Amino acid sequence: MCGIVGYVGQRKAAGVLIDCLSKLEYRGYDSAGVALFEKSGIEVIKATGRLKVLAAALEAKPELSATCGIGHTRWATHGAPSDLNSHPHTSEHVTLVHNGIIENYLKLKEMLLSNGYTFQSETDTEVLVKLFDFNYDGDPLCTILKTLSQVRGSYGLAIMFKDFPDRIYGVRKESPLIVGYGQGENFLASDIPALLKYTREYSILEEGQIAEVTEDKITIYDEFGNPTEKEHLTADWDVEAAEKCGYAHFMLKEIHEQPKAMLSTISPRIEDGMPDLHVKSLTDDYLRKVKRIHIVACGTAMHAGMVGKTAIERLCRVPVEVDIASEFRYRDPIIGEDELTVIISQSGETLDTLAALKLARAKGSKVLGIVNVVGSSIARESDDVIYTYAGPEIAVASTKAYSVQLAVLYLLALRMAYARNTLSQEKVQAYVKELLRLPELIGEVLEDSEQIKYLASQFMNCDDLFYLGRGFDYALSLEGSLKLKEISYVHSEAYAAGELKHGTISLIVEGTPVIALATQDDVFEKTISNVKEVKSRGAKVILFCKKGVSVPADVADYIVSLPVYEEIFMPMLTAVPLQLFAYYMAVLRGCDVDKPRNLAKSVTVE
Ligand code: AGP
């Protein structure tokens, strides 16, 4: 969703702001803009479309010399992408950029109209900036506190007051915002990658906190306007982690980073051959007592939860429910005593997931977060966190974050199975040994990328595609299908292989592409029967199975053979060629792989 940056220092702000915004492009946007404190007053420059359009507009104005300013990439919510609707928005005294939604903006607009204000855009943000103006009393802090007390909704804001050209303000509620500490310069941003080139030292603003940023000082105030101390954090991500490093796209780089991400996530959690999650409250005693688990997440993270459910139920015999966060929060879920809620999120900022977390806690559930971004809202609100160590994931399509989420869920399942005595220590150790082979095996799968590229070239013109599988393979096929849809814009559906004949098989005609996943020994023959059903109706089939299994003749047009591996862990291997298939389909179809249309990396609105 929208990206926010702010700069106060000695460099030319225009260049710094564009630079920082470019590192937030991955969040998704459709227009961009900056506001600069020039000697002549505040100058606002905006452009619809990609950031390079805005950069060109700024380059055409070499006279811009401001060293203080704010910038924004907008993902349209209220009003279409246009210069008029894009940020910054201005009023007589105040200029600001906004990430979030002001829910009571229509009411506020009525009040402002009756007080003589006029509006040019369709946005809730223009209402907000005029409300600031209406409340402005010469004191920025008081104006912020008063204005935000009248507002309902979510916001991350960077604000400039015309009368205070040496500073910018930042404030947040439900939308992420951090401050970055430099030498003789300071920053505001929605996310860490924006700042890595300039500083690694940062603080995360809490709900309602206000940051006053000048070139030599950052003062943080609490929601009542009292100065407060803030812990300084150091980002352990380096600049390269947020760069493409020679890869054509971030997505491809991130797919290739999976062996390393797996190793970083799994190995610190193995002690004496046994999984140890290093989470104080997840004692064996506690894991023995858990009666049911709720896994709640959105999109890819929810699909990871589906694999986790299959693993936990199979290994631990504990019932697991998986919920889409936006459904969970409004369905009044039943959470009983001794039930654990597991919240999964790469960004740690997904609004629906965060709301689901709060609901689960309010219902008395213990909440375990599985999160990639250290210090993110979900990490902070959870009772306990297990961090996935994937490093920054920039491409909108999640790949390495998904894989490490699976790894953590398997580790949890194994520890729980040991604690509950559904698996012996020897058996758990044998599984762990297998798990440690994973980085190497993923490396092997990556070496076969050319075959996947070839398959994509054979299917690149298709309009619809089906993914089939049973059990673990069904859970994974949901993710394979999502990946293809989101970046290549090819419609696809994932089906439990046995369910197809209850309706959907009517869509299979001569040439319909089907990706069949058959990596599970116990249901291999059943899945093959289902594949035969579509094959005999003319489907063009790519079959994914383990090397060496005997596949009946004429059942598939193409076979992708995967390394022979412990079958419950196969989703972590099979995911890789599915990601590559989606990637190459998108590249061959000329799509903007890292920034697919209409999508945002971090979804901070409902
Ligand atoms: C993944 O490819 C998607 N872009 C999306 O489904 C994502 O997984 C979802 O929005 C959840 O994000 P989170 O993990 O940051 O909470």
Side-chain angles (χ1 to χ4, degrees):
M1 303 261 116
C2 308
I4 290 177
V5 297
Y7 175 75
V8 194
Q10 285 135 30
R11 307 178 207 235
K12 280 194 175 183
V16 178
L17 294 173
I18 289 289
D19 205 18
C20 296
L21 283 176
S22 72
K23 302 295 182 301
L24 296 180
E25 279 191 289
Y26 73 92
R27 295 168 67 89
Y29 70 102
D30 33 49
S31 59
V34 296
L36 302 164
F37 267 123
E38 292 296 324
K39 292 209 172 66
S40 52
I42 292 179
E43 177 122 11
V44 174
I45 299 141
K46 318 193 215 186
T48 309
R50 290 297 179 213
L51 199 57
K52 58 182 181 215
V53 185
L54 177 66
L58 291 171
E59 270 161 33
K61 289 176 169 262
E63 70 279 9
L64 295 173
S65 61
T67 56
C68 176
I70 57 177
H72 188 259
T73 45
R74 173 176 185 252
W75 189 83
T77 55
H78 293 62
S82 70
D83 286 2
L84 218 51
N85 289 335
S86 52
H87 302 207
H89 284 278
T90 51
S91 59
E92 192 189 336
H93 297 98
V94 184
T95 298
L96 59 79
V97 296
H98 169 217
N99 175 12
I101 290 178
I102 304 303
E103 288 167 3
N104 57 337
Y105 81 107
L106 285 174
K107 215 158 183 187
L108 293 169
K109 191 171 182 175
E110 262 171 45
M111 182 278 284
L112 290 164
L113 282 166
S114 67
N115 278 282
Y117 283 89
T118 55
F119 294 86
Q120 276 79 50
S121 79
E122 302 155 75
T123 64
D124 51 341
T125 307
E126 192 185 0
V127 175
L128 187 60
V129 79
K130 289 187 172 157
L131 185 65
F132 268 101
D133 199 70
F134 179 68
N135 288 326
Y136 183 64
D137 60 1
D139 180 337
L141 194 58
C142 289
T143 307
I144 292 172
L145 289 169
K146 181 168 182 195
T147 304
L148 295 180
S149 72
Q150 298 165 349
V151 158
R152 239 183 330 102
S154 60
Y155 46 79
L157 300 172
I159 314 166
M160 295 158 81
F161 289 87
K162 193 180 80 187
D163 302 337
F164 296 83
D166 64 333
R167 68 193 65 181
I168 55 176
Y169 289 84
V171 58
R172 67 158 286 196
K173 184 181 164 233
E174 291 174 13
S175 285
L177 203 61
I178 61 172
V179 291
Y181 305 91
Q183 300 290 328
E185 58 185 357
N186 287 311
F187 303 83
L188 267 179
S190 306
D191 208 349
I192 301 163
L195 305 184
L196 286 177
K197 185 171 161 190
Y198 299 97
T199 180
R200 296 225 203 138
E201 207 184 330
Y202 69 102
S203 296
I204 299 169
L205 291 190
E206 311 277 340
E207 293 286 280
Q209 283 186 334
I210 301 164
E212 182 183 75
V213 183
T214 63
E215 71 175 38
D216 48 19
K217 199 167 173 219
I218 297 181
T219 313
I220 310 286
Y221 300 92
D222 67 14
E223 59 196 301
F224 307 107
N226 304 310
T228 178
E229 286 305 310
K230 204 75 218 146
E231 188 192 352
H232 287 217
L233 305 167
T234 307
D236 54 7
W237 296 348
D238 51 22
V239 183
E240 288 75 48
E243 302 286 348
K244 280 192 227 155
C245 299
Y247 285 93
H249 298 98
F250 278 111
M251 184 179 175
L252 188 61
K253 175 180 175 244
E254 288 158 9
I255 290 173
H256 280 266
E257 282 172 344
Q258 289 179 109
K260 185 172 161 235
M262 283 297 200
L263 194 66
S264 312
T265 301
I266 298 169
S267 51
R269 286 160 177 140
I270 307 295
E271 301 283 340
D272 300 325
M274 288 295 284
D276 185 343
L277 294 159
H278 303 296
V279 176
K280 265 198 203 127
S281 67
L282 287 191
T283 58
D284 288 345
D285 197 36
Y286 173 77
L287 292 174
R288 247 191 307 276
K289 279 199 265 175
V290 170
K291 290 201 182 106
R292 193 158 62 135
I293 295 177
H294 304 265
I295 299 182
V296 189
C298 297
T300 290
M302 190 275 291
H303 292 157
M306 297 281 289
V307 176
K309 168 188 166 77
T310 314
I312 295 168
E313 289 188 339
R314 189 174 295 187
L315 298 180
C316 315
R317 313 309 300 154
V318 176
V320 180
E321 283 184 22
V322 180
D323 267 275
I324 296 169
S326 55
E327 288 295 311
F328 180 84
R329 59 183 292 201
Y330 293 116
R331 77 165 170 86
D332 195 11
I334 301 163
I335 303 181
E337 234 177 86
D338 293 327
E339 295 188 359
L340 169 69
T341 303
V342 177
I343 297 281
I344 310 175
S345 176
Q346 186 285 128
S347 62
E349 299 294 348
T350 303
L351 190 83
D352 278 319
T353 312
L354 183 59
L357 180 163
K358 289 180 182 164
L359 178 74
R361 284 193 72 176
K363 283 181 176 275
S365 178
K366 177 183 175 65
V367 172
L368 171 69
I370 299 179
V371 179
N372 196 41
V373 178
V374 175
S376 55
S377 303
I378 290 175
R380 284 179 293 132
E381 296 276 343
S382 298
D383 293 307
D384 281 303
V385 192
I386 303 179
Y387 283 113
T388 51
Y389 300 129
E393 192 179 63
I394 307 290
V396 165
S398 186
T399 53
K400 61 177 179 173
Y402 171 74
S403 298
V404 291
Q405 285 160 357
L406 296 189
V408 166
L409 288 163
Y410 279 109
L411 286 169
L412 176 64
L414 288 172
R415 186 72 211 190
M416 198 165 189
Y418 167 69
R420 301 172 79 92
N421 216 9
T422 48
L423 284 181
S424 67
Q425 181 164 351
E426 292 70 38
K427 189 72 192 153
V428 172
Q429 280 170 333
Y431 275 127
V432 165
K433 230 173 156 181
E434 277 293 276
L435 208 48
L436 290 168
R437 288 176 62 215
L438 193 61
E440 188 194 325
L441 293 176
I442 293 179
E444 258 180 53
V445 173
L446 285 168
E447 280 168 21
D448 288 339
S449 298
E450 282 304 312
Q451 185 198 7
I452 306 298
K453 195 176 185 176
Y454 168 74
L455 291 173
S457 74
Q458 299 303 296
F459 286 77
M460 63 176 279
N461 292 319
C462 70
D463 298 322
D464 295 287
L465 202 147
F466 288 87
Y467 287 78
L468 305 182
R470 285 173 179 259
F472 279 114
D473 284 334
Y474 170 54
L476 178 61
S477 65
L478 292 166
E479 175 56 11
S481 170
L482 172 64
K483 215 83 304 169
L484 183 75
K485 279 181 278 211
E486 69 175 328
I487 59 167
S488 76
Y489 316 146
V490 173
H491 170 250
S492 80
E493 290 198 44
Y495 259 83
E499 181 66 10
L500 208 66
K501 54 176 138 338
H502 297 285
T504 317
I505 202 161
S506 62
L507 293 171
I508 305 288
V509 293
E510 195 59 39
T512 306
V514 171
I515 291 188
L517 310 181
T519 69
Q520 302 295 304
D521 299 343
D522 56 341
V523 285
F524 181 75
E525 284 172 8
K526 303 274 175 212
T527 308
I528 292 297
S529 301
N530 300 135
V531 179
K532 280 185 185 160
E533 289 161 6
V534 295
K535 189 73 196 125
S536 62
R537 286 162 179 83
K540 204 168 161 193
V541 175
I542 308 178
L543 179 70
F544 286 67
C545 56
K546 289 196 268 188
K547 246 177 224 147
V549 292
S550 119
V551 178
D554 299 334
V555 88
D557 297 85
Y558 307 95
I559 294 181
V560 177
S561 299
L562 298 156
V564 178
Y565 189 39
E566 167 52 55
E567 68 171 349
I568 65 162
F569 298 147
M570 280 306 285
M572 291 183 283
L573 273 192
T574 320
V576 179
L578 294 183
Q579 295 162 351
L580 284 169
F581 181 75
Y583 171 77
Y584 286 120
M585 288 282 280
V587 171
L588 290 166
R589 292 167 64 90
C591 302
D592 190 348
V593 175
D594 286 336
K595 299 185 285 285
R597 71 181 174 218
N598 305 337
L599 289 180
K601 182 67 180 165
S602 174
V603 182
T604 49
V605 294
E606 267 197 69

